[in-house]
Amino acid sequence: MAPSQRVEQMNKELRKGHFLAEKDRFCAYCVVRGTSFCGMVPNEDMAQLSSQSRPLTLDRRRTLFHQGDETQSIYVVTSGTLRLYQMLADGRRQVVGFAIPGDLLGFPLADHNDYSADALDSVYLCQFPRQEFMQFLNQRAHLLGALLTVTHDELNRTREQLALISQKNAERKMAQFLLSFRGRQMRMDEEISVLPVRIPQADIADFLGLTIETVNRMLARFTREKIIAITDTGVELLNLIRLHMLAEA
Amino acid sequence: MAPSQRVEQMNKELRKGHFLAEKDRFCAYCVVRGTSFCGMVPNEDMAQLSSQSRPLTLDRRRTLFHQGDETQSIYVVTSGTLRLYQMLADGRRQVVGFAIPGDLLGFPLADHNDYSADALDSVYLCQFPRQEFMQFLNQRAHLLGALLTVTHDELNRTREQLALISQKNAERKMAQFLLSFRGRQMRMDEEISVLPVRIPQADIADFLGLTIETVNRMLARFTREKIIAITDTGVELLNLIRLHMLAEA
DNA sequence: CGTTTATTTGAGACAACTCAAGTTGCGTGG
DNA sequence: CCACGCAACTTGAGTTGTCTCAAATAAACG
């Protein structure tokens, strides 16, 4: 069964509440087990980790947490996509990333959230109350190393975005964005050439540091040149070679 | 005695090798003790930490380590400034930050350096061989928390740079850069209005995502309007109020 | 003192921005 | 089922700020 199908089935079962009774099995068979922080937790600690988690659903447009609010829980995304953003002093909004299945949201050692997070589609999450999670971490010091690795990965992703946004060419920005977003999706499914989310163009603009109009014109051009195709479920990358050329040239 | 004077004296003594004989005292009285990772190490662990450290000098223009090379040591800056940068696929250089006294360089859990680092002036560092440092960390799990905090701080600084670079206005970029650089210096000395380094304009350009010419024109304008003054030892901020206005307007 | 490296200044091109007006899609309530 | 309002997307025309290219000057270095 392909990963995406497994995700769908897991989510169905999740909705029906099948896993609530045996939470340790829930984690052990979780679709994002291999790609998330949870995956670094050794099997013997799994039961305890499971017992702390709580499944959570978030509808499109709903906010999971706000920048600056007290960190009460941390989350692992199991399905769907969220946008992560900061409001800047001058009223502009900087989208700092998009969270996809397997991503960890919220930093347990910080008292306040570094960014806001809201759902771009229906999102399923695994919630861990911060206090319990911290205790769990402190009991098993080796898990701090796992958290450190995840944090370091995020640091490197942020540096990547920095390199992306410092590009002066809108066409290249857009091409690199599409490719790097695909790269992250491939963590779960190697074969993917369809990005399974409709990210509002305004969010792409605030991510890349462009205006909505420029983003729109670029997407229109790519579509006209048959490099991508925009459907109502997401973006299909039709010509990866062209896209790579545009990203590097 | 003002912090900056203490730094100078410490460095003098460091140069004379006074502290080499009693390394634990070296750390205990270190100028950056209060502002660095070391500051989070409890007193009882200090002696061991000290015994692993080795003072190091780096001349202007010398490279401390290269991006991609194996991580052999990690460092704490005690004096001077370094530029940290990545070379991008298209040949461009992205300056990801400037390291000042108190900063930790190198991530012990990564096998390879994420960026290159070289000295902008005479730099004094405290070197910790990675292997020993890792063992030290593993013995005292609570120190992983300290490392995590430092890493998270760096993540937030990188997000700040992201917000900075996504500005479309060169004037504002420059003003924000000067102010944020001052903010970091103030960690050691509250009163500072002189940035004590001559950062090459090319480095500022690669940090802000501008061209050298634009950086030069902005600095020239700020100088003409008596907002800053450039001396051969650094940049003096003459009109902080104006600078704040330019940064926000 | 010649050579390299860094800074300064000007003129012109162009890509992305701003502003303005329209279109499309979608959910809600009559 | 249609009308309405809102949000997201689309397109055009004109402006502008930064880049590019080019060249001169000033500093740093052996």
Side-chain angles (χ1 to χ4, degrees):
Chain A
M1 187 160 36
S4 54
Q5 286 177 284
R6 264 192 279 125
V7 175
E8 210 20 68
Q9 195 188 318
M10 288 298 291
N11 286 329
K12 268 190 208 136
E13 308 220 29
L14 190 61
R15 269 168 244 150
K16 284 186 281 178
H18 269 190
F19 289 97
L20 302 185
E22 355 175 23
K23 281 191 178 172
D24 57 321
R25 297 201 61 214
F26 168 59
C27 273
Y29 293 104
C30 176
V31 277
V32 299
R33 179 96 163 82
T35 55
S36 69
F37 168 78
C38 309
M40 302 185 204
V41 177
N43 286 323
E44 58 266 32
D45 297 332
M46 218 61 228
Q48 198 189 336
L49 184 70
S50 297
S51 73
Q52 294 183 0
S53 78
R54 201 160 72 85
L56 197 72
T57 307
L58 196 67
D59 287 338
R60 191 168 120 84
R61 273 167 223 264
R62 289 257 160 269
T63 299
L64 184 59
F65 53 75
H66 282 103
Q67 171 184 15
D69 283 359
E70 215 175 315
T71 311
Q72 289 177 341
S73 295
I74 62 165
Y75 308 87
V76 174
V77 183
T78 53
S79 166
T81 308
L82 302 96
R83 66 163 165 238
L84 317 177
Y85 60 97
Q86 297 178 325
M87 294 309 299
L88 306 180
D90 59 349
R92 265 173 51 253
R93 189 185 63 154
Q94 177 63 52
V95 172
V96 296
F98 298 96
I100 61 171
D103 283 342
L104 186 71
L105 289 178
F107 183 73
L109 272 65
D111 291 332
H112 301 275
N113 297 312
D114 299 322
Y115 46 76
S116 303
D118 39 44
L120 290 180
D121 48 14
S122 283
V123 168
Y124 294 86
L125 303 130
C126 218
Q127 180 179 36
F128 300 88
R130 185 185 166 210
Q131 292 304 330
E132 299 172 38
F133 190 79
M134 290 273 277
Q135 277 173 15
F136 181 62
L137 276 185
N138 288 331
Q139 281 161 25
R140 298 150 205 260
H142 55 279
L143 290 183
L144 274 177
L147 185 56
L148 197 50
T149 303
V150 171
T151 307
H152 185 244
D153 286 347
E154 193 169 341
L155 178 59
N156 279 331
R157 266 206 306 284
T158 307
R159 291 220 179 95
E160 241 178 67
Q161 190 189 351
L162 197 64
L164 180 53
I165 215 171
S166 75
Q167 295 278 5
K168 301 178 205 297
N169 189 309
E171 185 176 69
R172 201 186 291 182
K173 276 189 188 183
M174 183 58 73
Q176 286 187 18
F177 165 68
L178 291 169
L179 287 173
S180 84
F181 198 79
R182 172 174 183 258
R184 299 201 58 215
Q185 297 283 350
M186 287 200 300
R187 193 172 55 177
M188 292 205 64
D189 187 341
E190 286 297 324
E191 304 302 320
I192 214 161
S193 71
V194 177
L195 312 182
V197 224
R198 286 226 57 173
I199 302 177
Q201 297 183 1
D203 291 336
I204 302 180
D206 287 347
F207 183 78
L208 296 178
L210 297 170
T211 56
I212 317 173
E213 293 94 330
T214 302
V215 166
N216 184 272
R217 281 185 251 262
M218 288 303 139
L219 288 174
R221 189 195 298 175
F222 285 5
T223 304
R224 211 180 314 122
E225 298 182 9
K226 306 231 183 301
I227 296 169
I228 62 170
I230 295 175
T231 68
D232 41 348
T233 55
V235 180
E236 187 173 1
L237 308 184
L238 299 173
N239 191 338
L240 285 169
I241 296 149
R242 260 322 280 296
L243 215 47
H244 271 106
M245 278 169 40
L246 291 176
E248 280 157 37
Chain B
M1 184 162 36
S4 54
Q5 288 177 284
R6 266 191 278 125
V7 175
E8 210 20 68
Q9 195 187 322
M10 289 298 290
N11 286 330
K12 268 190 208 140
E13 308 220 30
L14 188 62
R15 270 169 244 150
K16 284 187 281 177
H18 270 188
F19 289 99
L20 302 186
E22 352 175 26
K23 280 192 180 171
D24 58 320
R25 297 201 60 213
F26 168 59
C27 274
Y29 293 106
C30 177
V31 278
V32 298
R33 179 92 163 84
T35 54
S36 71
F37 169 79
C38 309
M40 301 183 205
V41 178
N43 286 323
E44 58 266 31
D45 297 332
M46 218 61 227
Q48 197 190 338
L49 185 70
S50 296
S51 73
Q52 293 183 0
S53 76
R54 203 160 72 86
L56 197 72
T57 307
L58 195 69
D59 288 338
R60 191 167 121 83
R61 272 169 222 264
R62 289 257 160 268
T63 299
L64 183 59
F65 52 76
H66 283 102
Q67 172 186 14
D69 282 0
E70 214 176 315
T71 311
Q72 290 178 340
S73 296
I74 61 164
Y75 308 87
V76 173
V77 183
T78 53
S79 165
T81 307
L82 303 96
R83 66 164 166 237
L84 318 177
Y85 59 97
Q86 298 180 324
M87 293 310 299
L88 306 180
D90 59 348
R92 267 173 48 253
R93 188 185 64 156
Q94 177 64 53
V95 172
V96 296
F98 298 97
I100 62 171
D103 284 342
L104 185 71
L105 289 177
F107 183 73
L109 270 66
D111 290 332
H112 301 274
N113 298 312
D114 299 321
Y115 46 76
S116 304
D118 38 46
L120 290 179
D121 48 15
S122 283
V123 168
Y124 293 86
L125 304 131
C126 217
Q127 180 179 33
F128 300 88
R130 185 185 166 209
Q131 291 305 330
E132 299 172 38
F133 190 79
M134 290 272 277
Q135 277 173 16
F136 180 61
L137 276 185
N138 288 331
Q139 283 161 25
R140 304 157 200 252
H142 56 278
L143 289 184
L144 274 177
L147 185 57
L148 197 50
T149 303
V150 171
T151 307
H152 185 245
D153 286 347
E154 193 169 341
L155 179 58
N156 279 331
R157 267 205 304 284
T158 306
R159 290 219 180 96
E160 241 178 69
Q161 190 189 350
L162 196 65
L164 180 53
I165 216 170
S166 75
Q167 296 279 4
K168 301 178 205 295
N169 189 310
E171 186 175 71
R172 202 187 290 182
K173 276 190 187 183
M174 184 57 75
Q176 286 187 16
F177 165 68
L178 292 169
L179 287 172
S180 85
F181 198 80
R182 171 173 183 259
R184 299 201 58 216
Q185 297 284 349
M186 288 200 300
R187 192 172 57 180
M188 294 204 63
D189 187 341
E190 287 297 324
E191 302 303 320
I192 215 162
S193 71
V194 177
L195 312 182
V197 223
R198 285 227 55 173
I199 301 177
Q201 296 184 2
D203 291 334
I204 300 179
D206 286 346
F207 183 78
L208 296 178
L210 297 170
T211 56
I212 317 175
E213 293 94 329
T214 302
V215 166
N216 183 273
R217 281 185 252 262
M218 289 302 140
L219 288 174
R221 189 195 299 174
F222 285 6
T223 304
R224 210 179 315 121
E225 297 180 9
K226 306 234 184 299
I227 296 169
I228 63 170
I230 295 174
T231 68
D232 40 349
T233 55
V235 179
E236 187 173 1
L237 309 184
L238 299 173
N239 192 338
L240 285 169
I241 296 148
R242 261 319 280 296
L243 216 45
H244 270 107
M245 279 169 39
L246 292 176
E248 280 156 38

Short mmCIF file of all heavy atoms in Angstrom, two decimals, chain B residues 171-216:
data_model
loop_
_atom_site.label_atom_id
_atom_site.label_comp_id
_atom_site.label_asym_id
_atom_site.label_seq_id
_atom_site.Cartn_x
_atom_site.Cartn_y
_atom_site.Cartn_z
N GLU B 171 16.83 51.08 2.52
CA GLU B 171 17.06 52.00 3.64
C GLU B 171 16.64 51.33 4.95
O GLU B 171 17.37 51.34 5.94
CB GLU B 171 16.24 53.27 3.41
CG GLU B 171 16.49 54.35 4.41
CD GLU B 171 15.71 55.61 4.04
OE1 GLU B 171 14.47 55.63 4.16
OE2 GLU B 171 16.34 56.57 3.61
N ARG B 172 15.47 50.73 4.93
CA ARG B 172 14.96 50.09 6.13
C ARG B 172 15.81 48.88 6.51
O ARG B 172 16.11 48.66 7.69
CB ARG B 172 13.51 49.67 5.90
CG ARG B 172 12.76 49.50 7.19
CD ARG B 172 11.39 48.93 6.98
NE ARG B 172 10.50 49.87 6.32
CZ ARG B 172 9.22 49.59 6.06
NH1 ARG B 172 8.73 48.41 6.39
NH2 ARG B 172 8.46 50.48 5.48
N LYS B 173 16.21 48.13 5.50
CA LYS B 173 17.08 46.99 5.77
C LYS B 173 18.33 47.43 6.53
O LYS B 173 18.70 46.83 7.54
CB LYS B 173 17.53 46.34 4.45
CG LYS B 173 16.57 45.34 3.86
CD LYS B 173 17.24 44.61 2.69
CE LYS B 173 16.27 43.72 1.96
NZ LYS B 173 16.89 42.95 0.88
N MET B 174 18.95 48.49 6.01
CA MET B 174 20.19 48.94 6.62
C MET B 174 19.97 49.43 8.04
O MET B 174 20.73 49.09 8.95
CB MET B 174 20.78 50.07 5.76
CG MET B 174 22.13 50.57 6.22
SD MET B 174 23.37 49.27 6.30
CE MET B 174 23.70 49.06 4.57
N ALA B 175 18.91 50.20 8.24
CA ALA B 175 18.61 50.71 9.58
C ALA B 175 18.36 49.56 10.55
O ALA B 175 18.90 49.53 11.66
CB ALA B 175 17.40 51.65 9.54
N GLN B 176 17.56 48.59 10.13
CA GLN B 176 17.27 47.46 11.00
C GLN B 176 18.52 46.65 11.28
O GLN B 176 18.71 46.15 12.40
CB GLN B 176 16.20 46.55 10.36
CG GLN B 176 14.82 47.15 10.42
CD GLN B 176 13.76 46.16 9.94
OE1 GLN B 176 13.99 44.96 9.84
NE2 GLN B 176 12.57 46.68 9.63
N PHE B 177 19.36 46.52 10.28
CA PHE B 177 20.60 45.78 10.48
C PHE B 177 21.47 46.43 11.55
O PHE B 177 21.94 45.77 12.48
CB PHE B 177 21.38 45.68 9.17
CG PHE B 177 22.80 45.24 9.34
CD1 PHE B 177 23.10 43.96 9.76
CD2 PHE B 177 23.83 46.13 9.11
CE1 PHE B 177 24.42 43.56 9.94
CE2 PHE B 177 25.16 45.75 9.29
CZ PHE B 177 25.45 44.46 9.71
N LEU B 178 21.67 47.73 11.43
CA LEU B 178 22.50 48.45 12.40
C LEU B 178 21.93 48.32 13.81
O LEU B 178 22.66 48.04 14.77
CB LEU B 178 22.62 49.93 12.00
CG LEU B 178 23.41 50.20 10.72
CD1 LEU B 178 23.24 51.65 10.26
CD2 LEU B 178 24.89 49.89 10.92
N LEU B 179 20.62 48.45 13.91
CA LEU B 179 20.00 48.37 15.23
C LEU B 179 20.06 46.96 15.81
O LEU B 179 20.32 46.79 17.00
CB LEU B 179 18.54 48.84 15.15
CG LEU B 179 18.37 50.35 14.98
CD1 LEU B 179 16.91 50.70 14.71
CD2 LEU B 179 18.89 51.09 16.21
N SER B 180 19.87 45.97 14.98
CA SER B 180 19.88 44.62 15.53
C SER B 180 21.30 44.19 15.89
O SER B 180 21.52 43.48 16.86
CB SER B 180 19.23 43.62 14.57
OG SER B 180 20.15 43.16 13.61
N PHE B 181 22.25 44.69 15.13
CA PHE B 181 23.64 44.40 15.46
C PHE B 181 24.00 45.06 16.79
O PHE B 181 24.65 44.46 17.64
CB PHE B 181 24.57 44.90 14.35
CG PHE B 181 25.94 44.28 14.39
CD1 PHE B 181 26.16 43.02 13.89
CD2 PHE B 181 27.00 44.97 14.95
CE1 PHE B 181 27.43 42.45 13.95
CE2 PHE B 181 28.27 44.41 15.01
CZ PHE B 181 28.48 43.15 14.51
N ARG B 182 23.52 46.26 16.97
CA ARG B 182 23.73 46.94 18.25
C ARG B 182 23.07 46.15 19.38
O ARG B 182 23.64 45.98 20.45
CB ARG B 182 23.14 48.34 18.19
CG ARG B 182 23.11 49.04 19.53
CD ARG B 182 22.67 50.48 19.40
NE ARG B 182 22.71 51.16 20.69
CZ ARG B 182 21.65 51.38 21.45
NH1 ARG B 182 20.46 50.99 21.05
NH2 ARG B 182 21.77 52.00 22.60
N GLY B 183 21.86 45.67 19.12
CA GLY B 183 21.15 44.89 20.12
C GLY B 183 21.95 43.69 20.60
O GLY B 183 21.98 43.39 21.79
N ARG B 184 22.64 43.06 19.68
CA ARG B 184 23.42 41.90 20.07
C ARG B 184 24.66 42.31 20.86
O ARG B 184 25.04 41.65 21.81
CB ARG B 184 23.84 41.10 18.83
CG ARG B 184 22.63 40.57 18.07
CD ARG B 184 23.02 39.41 17.20
NE ARG B 184 23.59 38.35 17.99
CZ ARG B 184 24.59 37.57 17.58
NH1 ARG B 184 25.11 37.73 16.39
NH2 ARG B 184 25.08 36.63 18.36
N GLN B 185 25.27 43.41 20.47
CA GLN B 185 26.44 43.90 21.20
C GLN B 185 26.07 44.26 22.64
O GLN B 185 26.87 44.07 23.56
CB GLN B 185 27.03 45.13 20.51
CG GLN B 185 27.56 44.89 19.12
CD GLN B 185 28.90 44.17 19.10
OE1 GLN B 185 29.54 44.03 20.13
NE2 GLN B 185 29.30 43.69 17.93
N MET B 186 24.87 44.77 22.80
CA MET B 186 24.45 45.25 24.12
C MET B 186 24.33 44.13 25.13
O MET B 186 24.24 44.39 26.32
CB MET B 186 23.13 45.99 24.01
CG MET B 186 23.28 47.34 23.34
SD MET B 186 21.94 48.44 23.70
CE MET B 186 20.57 47.52 23.04
N ARG B 187 24.32 42.91 24.66
CA ARG B 187 24.33 41.77 25.56
C ARG B 187 25.49 41.89 26.56
O ARG B 187 25.37 41.51 27.71
CB ARG B 187 24.50 40.50 24.71
CG ARG B 187 24.27 39.22 25.41
CD ARG B 187 24.27 38.10 24.41
NE ARG B 187 25.53 38.05 23.65
CZ ARG B 187 25.79 37.16 22.72
NH1 ARG B 187 24.89 36.26 22.39
NH2 ARG B 187 26.93 37.15 22.08
N MET B 188 26.60 42.45 26.08
CA MET B 188 27.75 42.58 26.96
C MET B 188 27.87 43.97 27.58
O MET B 188 28.30 44.12 28.70
CB MET B 188 29.05 42.26 26.20
CG MET B 188 29.14 40.82 25.77
SD MET B 188 30.83 40.29 25.52
CE MET B 188 31.54 40.45 27.15
N ASP B 189 27.47 44.97 26.83
CA ASP B 189 27.67 46.33 27.31
C ASP B 189 26.45 47.17 26.95
O ASP B 189 26.20 47.49 25.80
CB ASP B 189 28.92 46.92 26.64
CG ASP B 189 29.28 48.27 27.24
OD1 ASP B 189 28.40 48.90 27.87
OD2 ASP B 189 30.43 48.69 27.08
N GLU B 190 25.71 47.57 27.97
CA GLU B 190 24.42 48.22 27.76
C GLU B 190 24.52 49.56 27.04
O GLU B 190 23.64 49.94 26.29
CB GLU B 190 23.72 48.44 29.11
CG GLU B 190 23.16 47.18 29.74
CD GLU B 190 22.07 46.53 28.88
OE1 GLU B 190 21.29 47.27 28.25
OE2 GLU B 190 22.02 45.28 28.82
N GLU B 191 25.63 50.26 27.28
CA GLU B 191 25.68 51.67 26.89
C GLU B 191 26.10 51.89 25.45
O GLU B 191 26.13 53.00 24.96
CB GLU B 191 26.66 52.42 27.80
CG GLU B 191 26.31 52.33 29.29
CD GLU B 191 24.90 52.85 29.55
OE1 GLU B 191 24.52 53.86 28.92
OE2 GLU B 191 24.16 52.24 30.35
N ILE B 192 26.48 50.83 24.80
CA ILE B 192 27.17 50.95 23.52
C ILE B 192 26.36 51.72 22.46
O ILE B 192 25.16 51.57 22.32
CB ILE B 192 27.53 49.55 22.98
CG1 ILE B 192 28.85 49.60 22.26
CG2 ILE B 192 26.45 48.99 22.10
CD1 ILE B 192 29.46 48.22 22.12
N SER B 193 27.06 52.62 21.75
CA SER B 193 26.45 53.22 20.57
C SER B 193 27.47 53.18 19.44
O SER B 193 27.25 53.74 18.38
CB SER B 193 26.01 54.66 20.85
OG SER B 193 27.14 55.48 20.98
N VAL B 194 28.59 52.52 19.68
CA VAL B 194 29.59 52.32 18.64
C VAL B 194 29.69 50.82 18.36
O VAL B 194 29.89 50.03 19.27
CB VAL B 194 30.98 52.86 19.09
CG1 VAL B 194 32.01 52.57 18.01
CG2 VAL B 194 30.91 54.33 19.39
N LEU B 195 29.51 50.46 17.13
CA LEU B 195 29.70 49.07 16.76
C LEU B 195 31.18 48.87 16.48
O LEU B 195 31.72 49.45 15.54
CB LEU B 195 28.87 48.72 15.52
CG LEU B 195 27.40 49.18 15.58
CD1 LEU B 195 26.66 48.75 14.32
CD2 LEU B 195 26.71 48.63 16.81
N PRO B 196 31.84 48.06 17.31
CA PRO B 196 33.31 48.04 17.31
C PRO B 196 33.93 47.14 16.24
O PRO B 196 34.93 46.52 16.50
CB PRO B 196 33.62 47.50 18.71
CG PRO B 196 32.48 46.59 19.02
CD PRO B 196 31.29 47.12 18.28
N VAL B 197 33.36 47.09 15.09
CA VAL B 197 33.96 46.32 13.98
C VAL B 197 33.76 47.03 12.67
O VAL B 197 32.74 47.68 12.45
CB VAL B 197 33.26 44.95 13.77
CG1 VAL B 197 34.29 43.87 13.54
CG2 VAL B 197 32.29 44.63 14.85
N ARG B 198 34.74 46.89 11.82
CA ARG B 198 34.56 47.36 10.45
C ARG B 198 34.17 46.16 9.62
O ARG B 198 35.03 45.39 9.17
CB ARG B 198 35.87 47.95 9.91
CG ARG B 198 36.16 49.31 10.49
CD ARG B 198 36.55 50.29 9.42
NE ARG B 198 35.57 50.42 8.34
CZ ARG B 198 35.65 51.32 7.38
NH1 ARG B 198 36.65 52.15 7.34
NH2 ARG B 198 34.75 51.37 6.44
N ILE B 199 32.90 45.99 9.43
CA ILE B 199 32.44 44.90 8.57
C ILE B 199 32.55 45.37 7.13
O ILE B 199 32.02 46.43 6.79
CB ILE B 199 30.98 44.53 8.89
CG1 ILE B 199 30.85 44.12 10.35
CG2 ILE B 199 30.49 43.42 7.97
CD1 ILE B 199 29.43 43.80 10.77
N PRO B 200 33.24 44.62 6.27
CA PRO B 200 33.34 45.02 4.86
C PRO B 200 31.94 45.20 4.27
O PRO B 200 31.02 44.43 4.59
CB PRO B 200 34.06 43.84 4.22
CG PRO B 200 34.84 43.23 5.31
CD PRO B 200 34.01 43.41 6.55
N GLN B 201 31.76 46.19 3.44
CA GLN B 201 30.44 46.45 2.86
C GLN B 201 29.94 45.27 2.04
O GLN B 201 28.74 45.01 1.97
CB GLN B 201 30.51 47.71 2.00
CG GLN B 201 30.84 48.95 2.82
CD GLN B 201 30.83 50.24 2.01
OE1 GLN B 201 30.54 50.20 0.81
NE2 GLN B 201 31.12 51.35 2.65
N ALA B 202 30.88 44.52 1.48
CA ALA B 202 30.49 43.34 0.70
C ALA B 202 29.82 42.31 1.60
O ALA B 202 28.88 41.62 1.18
CB ALA B 202 31.72 42.73 0.03
N ASP B 203 30.27 42.21 2.85
CA ASP B 203 29.66 41.26 3.77
C ASP B 203 28.27 41.70 4.19
O ASP B 203 27.35 40.89 4.33
CB ASP B 203 30.54 41.07 5.01
CG ASP B 203 31.83 40.35 4.68
OD1 ASP B 203 31.84 39.59 3.70
OD2 ASP B 203 32.83 40.55 5.40
N ILE B 204 28.13 43.01 4.40
CA ILE B 204 26.80 43.53 4.74
C ILE B 204 25.85 43.26 3.57
O ILE B 204 24.70 42.85 3.76
CB ILE B 204 26.85 45.04 5.04
CG1 ILE B 204 27.80 45.30 6.22
CG2 ILE B 204 25.46 45.59 5.32
CD1 ILE B 204 27.95 46.78 6.58
N ALA B 205 26.36 43.49 2.35
CA ALA B 205 25.54 43.25 1.16
C ALA B 205 25.07 41.80 1.09
O ALA B 205 23.89 41.52 0.88
CB ALA B 205 26.32 43.61 -0.10
N ASP B 206 25.98 40.87 1.32
CA ASP B 206 25.63 39.45 1.24
C ASP B 206 24.78 39.02 2.42
O ASP B 206 24.13 37.97 2.39
CB ASP B 206 26.89 38.59 1.17
CG ASP B 206 27.55 38.68 -0.20
OD1 ASP B 206 26.91 39.17 -1.14
OD2 ASP B 206 28.72 38.26 -0.33
N PHE B 207 24.79 39.79 3.48
CA PHE B 207 23.93 39.50 4.62
C PHE B 207 22.51 39.98 4.33
O PHE B 207 21.54 39.28 4.60
CB PHE B 207 24.46 40.20 5.87
CG PHE B 207 23.69 39.93 7.13
CD1 PHE B 207 23.83 38.74 7.82
CD2 PHE B 207 22.80 40.87 7.64
CE1 PHE B 207 23.12 38.48 8.99
CE2 PHE B 207 22.09 40.63 8.81
CZ PHE B 207 22.25 39.43 9.48
N LEU B 208 22.39 41.17 3.75
CA LEU B 208 21.08 41.79 3.55
C LEU B 208 20.45 41.44 2.21
O LEU B 208 19.30 41.80 1.95
CB LEU B 208 21.20 43.31 3.67
CG LEU B 208 21.61 43.86 5.04
CD1 LEU B 208 21.73 45.37 4.99
CD2 LEU B 208 20.59 43.45 6.09
N GLY B 209 21.21 40.77 1.34
CA GLY B 209 20.67 40.48 0.02
C GLY B 209 20.60 41.72 -0.85
O GLY B 209 19.65 41.92 -1.60
N LEU B 210 21.60 42.58 -0.75
CA LEU B 210 21.69 43.78 -1.58
C LEU B 210 23.01 43.74 -2.35
O LEU B 210 23.84 42.86 -2.11
CB LEU B 210 21.66 45.04 -0.70
CG LEU B 210 20.41 45.30 0.13
CD1 LEU B 210 20.64 46.43 1.12
CD2 LEU B 210 19.23 45.63 -0.79
N THR B 211 23.20 44.69 -3.26
CA THR B 211 24.50 44.79 -3.93
C THR B 211 25.41 45.71 -3.12
O THR B 211 24.94 46.51 -2.31
CB THR B 211 24.35 45.37 -5.34
OG1 THR B 211 23.70 46.64 -5.26
CG2 THR B 211 23.55 44.44 -6.24
N ILE B 212 26.71 45.59 -3.41
CA ILE B 212 27.68 46.45 -2.70
C ILE B 212 27.34 47.91 -2.93
O ILE B 212 27.41 48.73 -2.02
CB ILE B 212 29.12 46.22 -3.24
CG1 ILE B 212 29.39 44.72 -3.43
CG2 ILE B 212 30.15 46.82 -2.32
CD1 ILE B 212 30.73 44.45 -4.07
N GLU B 213 26.98 48.24 -4.16
CA GLU B 213 26.72 49.64 -4.51
C GLU B 213 25.57 50.21 -3.68
O GLU B 213 25.66 51.33 -3.16
CB GLU B 213 26.38 49.77 -6.00
CG GLU B 213 27.52 49.46 -6.94
CD GLU B 213 27.53 48.01 -7.41
OE1 GLU B 213 27.07 47.16 -6.62
OE2 GLU B 213 27.96 47.74 -8.53
N THR B 214 24.50 49.42 -3.55
CA THR B 214 23.36 49.90 -2.78
C THR B 214 23.72 50.09 -1.31
O THR B 214 23.37 51.11 -0.70
CB THR B 214 22.18 48.93 -2.92
OG1 THR B 214 21.85 48.81 -4.29
CG2 THR B 214 20.97 49.42 -2.16
N VAL B 215 24.46 49.14 -0.76
CA VAL B 215 24.92 49.25 0.63
C VAL B 215 25.73 50.52 0.79
O VAL B 215 25.51 51.31 1.72
CB VAL B 215 25.76 48.03 1.04
CG1 VAL B 215 26.53 48.28 2.33
CG2 VAL B 215 24.88 46.81 1.19
N ASN B 216 26.63 50.75 -0.15
CA ASN B 216 27.48 51.93 -0.08
C ASN B 216 26.66 53.21 -0.12
O ASN B 216 26.86 54.13 0.67
CB ASN B 216 28.48 51.89 -1.24
CG ASN B 216 29.45 53.06 -1.16
OD1 ASN B 216 29.19 54.13 -1.67
ND2 ASN B 216 30.56 52.85 -0.46
#
